[in-house]
Amino acid sequence: MVQQPSRDILSTLKEQILFEKPQIGNYIAIGLWMLIDKKQFVEECLSILLLLDFDPRLMKPIKFEHEEERMIQVQLFTQLEMDLPHMAQFVELFLGYLDHRQKSVNLMVLKALQKAAKHKEMMPGILSRLYRLLQERVHTQVLNEILILSRMMIQSPLDEPAVQNLIFYIQSICNLRSEHIQQEQILCCQEWLKIQEFKQIHGLLMNTCLLLGCTDIPLDLQQLDLTLQHFKTLNAQQDLVKIERLKIMTGYLQAFDSKATPYLKLYLTDILSQLSKLLTPSQQLDLVQVKRLHPSTDLQTTHLQFQFEDDRILDCLNDLASTLGKHDIADAVEFMVLENTESIAVLKLFIQYLPDDRKMHIIKHILDSDLKSPVSKILMLQSISQAQLTPHQIQYLLMDDIYTLLQFLGDSNYWVQEEAKTCLTVLAQTRGNSSVSQLVMEHVDYLVDATSYRIKNLVLHPLAPKVLIAAIKATGQQIIGPLMHDTLDNVLNSLKSMGTTGYLPGHGPTVTRQSSGLLGDLMLVLYHLLQVCPTPRLEIEQQKHSKIQELYLKHKSPGPELLEQLSVPKEGFHTQTSEESEHPMDAKNEPEEEPLSDYESLALRVMEQTQYLLYTDCPPLRMVCLRIFTIGLPILSNRPTKLNPLIHSVWNTLASRLSDHGFVAVEALQVLSVICKTSKDFVRKRIQDNIIQLFSKLLSQMQHKSTFTTRSNKTRIIQNTFTTTSESRQFETLLECLKSVVQYVPLLTNDIHHLTTTLLDFLNNRFTPSIHHLVQQILIETLKRKNEWVVCLIWHRLGSPDIRNLKPLNHKQGLPIVYDLVKPILEGGGLFGQLVIQSYEQNYCESGSVVDATERVTLKE
C-alpha cells in the first residue's frame, strides 16, 4: 500500500527533472542512492540518475544482479568523469559482469571499458579478464568489441614485463577464427606490427594478416625463408595447421612476387615433394564425384577429386598452385613427374601453368609409361583435360596416343572409363568435333594400325581387344568398313590359332573355367561388332479369323453338334503340310539375291568361323558364342539362303545346349527364340521332332520343384521358390522361348494339346505372378493361332468329367488350376471362351460373386 504512492512520486520527480532540470542534483542523487541501498525502486532510481547532473563521487560501486539494472549502471558510468581511484573500483566491478551468457551487458561493459583504457594503470586487470573471456564461447559482436578495446589499450611505449604477458594475449587474438571479425583482427595486427617491443612476434602478426588475405603490411624476407623451411613438415601437421601454412605460403609469394624467386628456387623441390605426399591416396584421401563446368568448354563434366577431412585444403592447394605457376617451376615439375609417375597429382595441379612444349613432353612420357593405379590413371586423364591444349597439339597427341586413350576408355574400373569419356569429350570439343565418335573416326587409321599389330601379339599386348571394344562402343556402326577388314582377319586368325582350349602356340593356357582370358576378350570384340550392326525389322504374320466363332453362332451351345466339328487331336495332324514347310517357295521363282552388305557379310563370317566354340569346355565362352548368334542371326533375316544353312550346321549343338549349365541354357533358349522369328518355316519340322518333347521334359522338371504340406486334412499350397537364380532365370527364359515358338512356328495340334495340358498346371498358387503372366501369354498366343482346343482343355480342367461330352462342371473333379488365372485366357478365346466363362460363373456363384478359387479347387495326384 505504501509502494504505489512512492512509485508515483518518483515518476513525477522524473518528469520535473526532464522539463525543469533543477540544479539540486546532488541532493536528489543522495536520496536516490539511499533508496538503491535499501533495494527499493532500483531501476526507477537509476533511470532518474541518468538525467541528473551530480558529483561522480556520489556514485556507489554497488553490484546489481538484474541485467537491466547493470546496463543502466554501466550507462551511467560512461556519462560521468571520475578520478582514477574511483574509476578503478567500477572497472573491477564491471569486469565481474563480463559473462559469455549475457551478450547485451558484455557489449555495454566493453564500450564503457574503452573509457578506462586510456589509463595504462587499468590495462593489466582488463587484459587479464579479457584473456579469460576469449577462452569461452562468446558472441561475434562481443569479440569485435574485445578487439577494439585491445587495439586501444596495447600501444607503445610498453614496459618489458608487460610485453611477455601481452604476447600470449595477442597470440589468442591471432588464433581467433571468425569471418565476422576479420577486419578488426587485421587492424589489430597492423597496429601491433608498428610496436617495436613486439618484434619477436612480428612473424605471427604477418602470418595472421596473410591468413586473413591482407598483404598491406611490412613484410620480412627472413620470415619468408622461415616459412619455406617450416613447409618441409607440412604432412606431419593436422588439417588446420596445413591450411594455415598453405595460406601463409601463398600470401608471402603473392606479396613478394618476383623478390621471392631466389628463396623459392632453394625450396621448390621440397615444396613439390610435400604437395605430392599430401595428394597420395595412402594419406587417408578418397576420391569423390563432383560436377563442375569445364573452363575451356561449355561442357558440364563429372570429375573425381580428392576429399580431405577439411574441404578448405583443396582450395588452398589450388590457390598455391596458381601462385607458384607465376614462377619458373617447369623444370622442377617435369623432373619430379618423370622420375616418379606416382607424383602425377603434382602434374594435375600445375599442368595448366606449364609452357606448351613442356606439357606435351610430360603427357607423352606418362602415356607411354604403364600406369597401374586407377587413381593415377584418373589424375592423368584430368591433367590432359585441364592442360588447355591447342587443336594442333591435340592432333599431334592423337596421332601417337589414341590407342592409349582408348585403353583408358576400355579400363575395367568404372571411374577410369568415365574420366576417359570426359577427357575425350573435352578434346573433341576443343578441336571442333561434334562428338567423341567423330574424333575417333578422324584418327581411325592410326587406331587400326596400332590395334592390328598388337592383336597379332596378344601375349605382349593383352589389352588390345579391350581397346578395340572401346573404339567400337565410341563410334558405333561407323567403324565397320574397309579399314576394319584387316583387324577382323587378325581377330579371327588369333581365335583359330587358340582352338577351343585357349592355348596360344608356344604358350600356356589362357582359358579356365573361371575366366575366358584372351580368347573371351576376342569373342567380346566380335560380339560388340555385331551389336552395332543394324538389324532388319521382322514382321509378324497376321492371323486369320477363327471358324469356331461361326460354329458357336450357329449352335449357341457346346452340344454334340459342335463337338463333332471339334477334331480330337491325332498324331501327325498339323496346320501345314510337310511339302509346304520344307519348300515354301519354288526355287525357280526365287528372285536373284543382291550382294551381301558389309554388315551381313560381317555377321555371316563371324558366326561361321566361331561356331566351333560351342564345343568348348569353358561355359563363359559358350555363353559369349551363343550371344553372338543371338544378335547375329537377325542381321541375316533377309538372307534365307545364307541363314538356313548356318542354322542347319549348328542345330544339333544348339539343341544339346538347351540342357546345359543354367546360364548357358538361358543363352541357348534365346538363340532358339531368334531362330523361330527369323526361319520359322525352315525349323518347323525340327521343332516338332526335337524341341517340343524337350520342352515338355523341362517343364515337368520345373513343375516337380514345387513343394506341398498338409495340415488339418486340408491341402495347403506353398509358393514355389527355385533353389538358384539361374534356375529361375532358365524357367522364365524357357517360357519366353516357348511363346516365340507358338507365336511364329506352325505346330501339330497334338503338340499344342500336350503343351497346353502341361502349362495349365502352372496356373496355381505354387508359382509366382511373373510365371502366371508368361503362361497366360503363351496360351493366348495359342488361341490366336486358331487352336480353340485350348478352351476345351480349360473347360475340362475346371471340372467337366469328359472332354468329348462337356457336361456341367463338377469342382470335385477339377485339378489345381485357379479360375482367376485362366479367365484372361478364356477372354481371348472368342465366343466359345465367353460361353465357358458364363457357364462356370453360373455354377460357382454364391450371393452373386465367384467363390474363392483356393476353396473350390483341390489337389489331385
Side-chain angles (χ1 to χ4, degrees):
M1 297 297 292
V2 177
Q3 290 186 358
Q4 186 60 41
S6 299
R7 192 179 301 274
D8 293 340
I9 292 172
L10 289 173
S11 299
T12 304
L13 178 61
K14 184 176 181 180
E15 291 176 2
Q16 290 178 353
I17 292 173
L18 282 173
F19 293 104
E20 299 178 9
K21 295 189 178 183
Q23 302 299 319
I24 55 172
N26 288 339
Y27 298 105
I28 298 175
I30 292 172
L32 293 174
W33 284 112
M34 292 176 63
L35 289 174
I36 293 173
D37 280 339
K38 296 179 181 180
K39 299 186 183 301
Q40 296 180 355
F41 316 110
V42 175
E43 188 174 341
E44 289 82 353
C45 291
L46 289 173
S47 300
I48 295 173
L49 286 170
L50 285 174
L51 306 174
L52 288 176
D53 292 329
F54 63 93
D55 189 345
R57 290 174 295 181
L58 295 176
M59 184 172 176
K60 298 181 179 181
I62 300 174
K63 184 177 180 180
F64 296 110
E65 300 298 331
H66 299 292
E67 183 175 346
E68 291 296 329
E69 295 171 355
R70 289 183 175 186
M71 292 176 65
I72 298 174
Q73 183 186 27
V74 174
Q75 187 178 358
L76 185 60
F77 171 82
T78 58
Q79 293 182 1
L80 300 176
E81 293 295 333
M82 297 184 179
D83 56 15
L84 191 59
H86 201 194
M87 181 185 296
Q89 296 179 7
F90 282 94
V91 168
E92 185 177 355
L93 174 66
F94 292 162
L95 288 176
Y97 286 171
L98 288 176
D99 188 342
H100 68 281
R101 293 167 295 183
Q102 295 184 353
K103 171 190 167 185
S104 301
V105 174
N106 288 339
L107 289 174
M108 293 199 68
V109 167
L110 289 170
K111 289 182 178 180
L113 291 177
Q114 292 176 15
K115 178 180 179 180
K118 300 174 183 178
H119 305 279
K120 289 190 178 293
E121 294 83 355
M122 302 291 181
M123 185 178 70
I126 295 176
L127 290 178
S128 176
R129 182 64 186 96
L130 294 182
Y131 183 78
R132 293 197 303 272
L133 188 62
L134 285 173
Q135 313 308 314
E136 303 172 358
R137 296 183 61 184
V138 294
H139 194 272
T140 302
Q141 290 180 331
V142 176
L143 279 177
N144 204 63
E145 291 297 329
I146 291 176
L147 293 177
I148 295 173
L149 180 58
S150 303
R151 182 161 50 87
M152 293 176 60
M153 295 177 64
I154 305 176
Q155 295 177 354
S156 280
L158 293 171
D159 296 333
E160 185 63 28
V163 171
Q164 295 301 323
N165 294 327
L166 288 174
I167 286 175
F168 293 106
Y169 180 77
I170 292 172
Q171 287 175 339
S172 64
I173 295 291
C174 293
N175 291 329
L176 293 175
R177 296 291 179 264
S178 176
E179 296 179 359
H180 303 286
I181 63 170
Q182 286 184 359
Q183 188 59 40
E184 193 58 44
Q185 275 183 288
I186 292 172
L187 292 175
C188 285
C189 292
Q190 288 175 330
E191 190 71 28
W192 296 335
L193 276 170
K194 301 174 184 178
I195 302 177
Q196 290 300 316
E197 289 87 347
F198 292 151
K199 191 170 184 180
Q200 59 178 306
I201 59 170
H202 276 192
L204 173 63
L205 296 173
M206 286 188 283
N207 292 345
T208 302
C209 288
L210 294 174
L211 280 175
L212 300 175
C214 174
T215 57
D216 185 18
I217 53 176
L219 293 173
D220 188 350
L221 284 171
Q222 292 182 353
Q223 189 63 33
L224 169 62
D225 184 60
L226 185 62
T227 302
L228 292 172
Q229 292 182 33
H230 288 169
F231 201 79
K232 295 179 180 179
T233 60
L234 176 68
N235 287 284
Q237 307 300 326
Q238 296 180 349
D239 281 357
L240 184 59
V241 179
K242 290 175 183 176
I243 292 171
E244 291 182 351
R245 291 195 176 179
L246 288 168
K247 285 185 175 181
I248 291 170
M249 169 75 78
T250 304
Y252 275 117
L253 293 176
Q254 290 175 350
F256 283 112
D257 198 13
S258 60
K259 294 180 182 179
T261 302
Y263 294 88
L264 188 60
K265 286 183 177 179
L266 296 175
Y267 299 102
L268 185 56
T269 302
D270 293 329
I271 292 173
L272 296 180
S273 176
Q274 290 298 314
L275 294 178
S276 176
K277 291 179 181 178
L278 186 61
L279 292 172
T280 300
S282 61
Q283 302 295 320
Q284 298 180 348
L285 303 180
D286 297 317
L287 286 171
V288 294
Q289 185 182 10
V290 295
K291 289 186 177 179
R292 56 177 58 173
L293 197 64
H294 195 272
S296 61
T297 66
D298 293 333
L299 174 67
Q300 181 93 14
T301 61
T302 300
H303 280 287
L304 290 174
Q305 72 176 24
F306 283 109
Q307 182 182 32
F308 298 84
E309 292 184 4
D310 194 323
D311 296 336
R312 295 176 295 174
I313 292 180
L314 193 60
D315 295 330
C316 293
L317 284 172
N318 291 326
D319 292 340
L320 178 60
S322 64
T323 303
L324 286 172
K326 299 175 183 178
H327 299 268
D328 185 12
I329 61 171
D331 291 337
V333 172
E334 183 175 0
F335 175 79
M336 172 166 286
V337 175
L338 297 187
E339 284 292 318
N340 181 14
T341 54
E342 294 301 320
S343 302
I344 197 170
V346 174
L347 176 65
K348 179 181 180 295
L349 274 178
F350 295 104
I351 191 166
Q352 57 186 315
Y353 308 111
L354 299 180
D356 289 345
D357 57 336
R358 296 296 184 89
K359 289 180 187 176
M360 293 300 297
H361 181 254
I362 297 174
I363 289 174
K364 290 183 68 63
H365 176 85
I366 296 180
L367 288 177
D368 291 339
S369 62
D370 187 15
L371 296 176
K372 300 293 185 183
S373 167
V375 175
S376 297
K377 296 175 183 178
I378 290 171
L379 292 173
M380 179 67 240
L381 291 165
Q382 289 183 355
S383 299
I384 297 174
S385 300
Q386 297 174 10
Q388 300 178 4
L389 300 177
T390 64
H392 177 72
Q393 290 174 324
I394 295 174
Q395 173 70 20
Y396 176 62
L397 177 67
L398 293 176
M399 287 171 59
D400 293 337
D401 295 300
I402 188 169
Y403 176 89
T404 308
L405 291 174
L406 288 176
Q407 184 173 306
F408 291 135
L409 191 61
D411 195 272
S412 57
N413 186 283
Y414 170 78
W415 292 114
V416 175
Q417 294 179 24
E418 290 299 306
E419 201 62 51
K421 290 179 185 177
T422 299
C423 179
L424 288 170
T425 304
V426 171
L427 296 180
Q429 293 194 358
T430 304
R431 286 195 74 247
N433 298 112
S434 59
S435 63
V436 174
S437 174
Q438 184 182 356
L439 179 74
V440 176
M441 287 305 300
E442 285 186 3
H443 302 83
V444 72
D445 49 345
Y446 303 108
L447 175 64
V448 169
D449 290 343
T451 307
S452 298
Y453 168 76
R454 287 171 171 82
I455 285 179
K456 291 178 183 178
N457 302 275
L458 273 180
V459 176
L460 299 177
H461 306 283
L463 296 178
K466 293 183 178 179
V467 174
L468 195 52
I469 291 172
I472 294 168
K473 289 181 177 179
T475 58
Q477 64 186 30
Q478 299 179 63
I479 202 171
I480 299 175
L483 287 174
M484 281 298 296
H485 289 170
D486 292 339
T487 304
L488 182 60
D489 290 339
N490 292 331
V491 172
L492 293 174
N493 290 337
S494 296
L495 279 174
K496 187 176 180 181
S497 64
M498 292 182 188
T500 60
T501 60
Y503 282 80
L504 282 168
H507 299 86
T510 59
V511 176
T512 64
R513 291 182 64 87
Q514 290 77 25
S515 172
S516 53
L518 295 176
L519 185 57
D521 290 341
L522 291 174
M523 291 291 289
L524 287 174
V525 171
L526 302 176
Y527 172 80
H528 285 92
L529 271 175
L530 295 183
Q531 199 173 37
V532 299
C533 293
T535 303
R537 187 175 181 180
L538 296 175
E539 295 185 1
I540 302 175
E541 178 184 352
Q542 295 294 329
Q543 306 299 329
K544 297 180 180 179
H545 185 70
S546 173
K547 292 182 180 180
I548 193 69
Q549 296 189 19
E550 299 177 6
L551 294 172
Y552 175 75
L553 289 173
K554 180 178 179 181
H555 297 285
K556 301 295 184 183
S557 65
E561 296 179 358
L562 173 61
L563 295 174
E564 287 176 2
Q565 300 183 56
L566 286 172
S567 57
V568 179
K570 297 180 182 179
E571 190 70 30
F573 178 83
H574 50 78
T575 57
Q576 282 189 327
T577 63
S578 299
E579 292 77 7
E580 292 174 338
S581 61
E582 297 292 342
H583 305 284
M585 183 182 291
D586 192 347
K588 295 180 181 180
N589 297 327
E590 289 183 0
E592 185 177 351
E593 269 193 315
E594 297 179 357
L596 296 177
S597 66
D598 288 341
Y599 308 117
E600 293 169 336
S601 177
L602 172 67
L604 180 61
R605 188 179 176 193
V606 168
M607 288 186 287
E608 285 180 340
Q609 298 192 36
T610 57
Q611 58 180 289
Y612 70 91
L613 287 171
L614 291 172
Y615 300 97
T616 183
D617 294 333
C618 180
L621 278 180
R622 296 200 294 271
M623 289 174 59
V624 177
C625 188
L626 289 166
R627 287 178 183 175
I628 286 177
F629 276 82
T630 300
I631 61 176
L633 290 174
I635 299 174
L636 296 174
S637 58
N638 293 335
R639 303 290 184 170
T641 58
K642 305 295 183 183
L643 178 62
N644 293 340
L646 182 62
I647 294 174
H648 173 76
S649 64
V650 301
W651 181 263
N652 292 333
T653 308
L654 177 64
S656 65
R657 293 302 175 209
L658 296 175
S659 303
D660 208 330
H661 296 83
F663 287 109
V664 177
V666 168
E667 299 297 336
L669 288 166
Q670 291 178 347
V671 174
L672 183 59
S673 297
V674 172
I675 290 176
C676 292
K677 297 175 184 177
T678 55
S679 299
K680 54 186 178 182
D681 294 323
F682 178 74
V683 298
R684 181 191 57 78
K685 187 69 166 60
R686 300 168 190 266
I687 295 287
Q688 295 169 0
D689 294 343
N690 308 115
I691 304 302
I692 296 299
Q693 185 178 0
L694 177 61
F695 276 8
S696 298
K697 179 182 177 181
L698 293 174
L699 288 172
S700 299
Q701 292 175 355
M702 296 296 178
Q703 185 180 2
H704 289 316
K705 288 183 179 292
S706 301
T707 56
F708 305 91
T709 182
T710 304
R711 182 181 299 172
S712 304
N713 298 325
K714 291 185 179 180
T715 301
R716 182 187 176 198
I717 302 172
I718 299 180
Q719 182 170 314
N720 174 50
T721 55
F722 295 104
T723 56
T724 64
T725 305
S726 62
E727 285 184 345
S728 176
R729 176 64 179 143
Q730 184 179 357
F731 186 30
E732 292 184 2
T733 309
L734 173 63
L735 294 176
E736 291 170 354
C737 180
L738 184 54
K739 178 184 175 183
S740 298
V741 171
V742 172
Q743 184 176 3
Y744 295 101
V745 181
L747 296 178
L748 296 172
T749 307
N750 184 67
D751 291 338
I752 293 174
H753 172 79
H754 190 63
L755 287 174
T756 303
T757 303
T758 306
L759 287 171
L760 285 174
D761 292 337
F762 290 98
L763 294 178
N764 55 60
N765 291 336
R766 286 176 285 170
F767 298 94
T768 61
S770 60
I771 300 297
H772 295 159
H773 180 67
L774 286 170
V775 171
Q776 290 169 344
Q777 287 184 320
I778 294 171
L779 295 177
I780 290 173
E781 286 295 333
T782 306
L783 287 172
K784 292 180 181 178
R785 305 290 296 182
K786 302 181 297 183
N787 294 303
E788 288 80 5
W789 187 254
V790 174
V791 180
C792 295
L793 291 175
I794 294 175
W795 178 277
H796 176 55
R797 285 301 183 91
L798 288 174
S800 179
D802 186 1
I803 198 170
R804 287 183 170 277
N805 185 11
L806 299 181
K807 296 181 179 179
L809 299 176
N810 181 357
H811 72 275
K812 293 183 179 181
Q813 301 292 329
L815 288 174
I817 66 171
V818 178
Y819 171 71
D820 293 337
L821 296 177
V822 297
K823 185 176 180 180
I825 305 169
L826 295 173
E827 290 174 346
L831 296 175
F832 188 26
Q834 295 297 326
L835 172 66
V836 176
I837 292 173
Q838 294 175 8
S839 176
Y840 185 86
E841 294 188 354
Q842 286 174 359
N843 282 276
Y844 291 94
C845 280
E846 295 181 1
S847 303
S849 62
V850 181
V851 181
D852 185 2
T854 57
E855 295 182 3
R856 51 178 155 74
V857 178
T858 60
L859 297 175
K860 183 176 181 181
E861 296 295 335

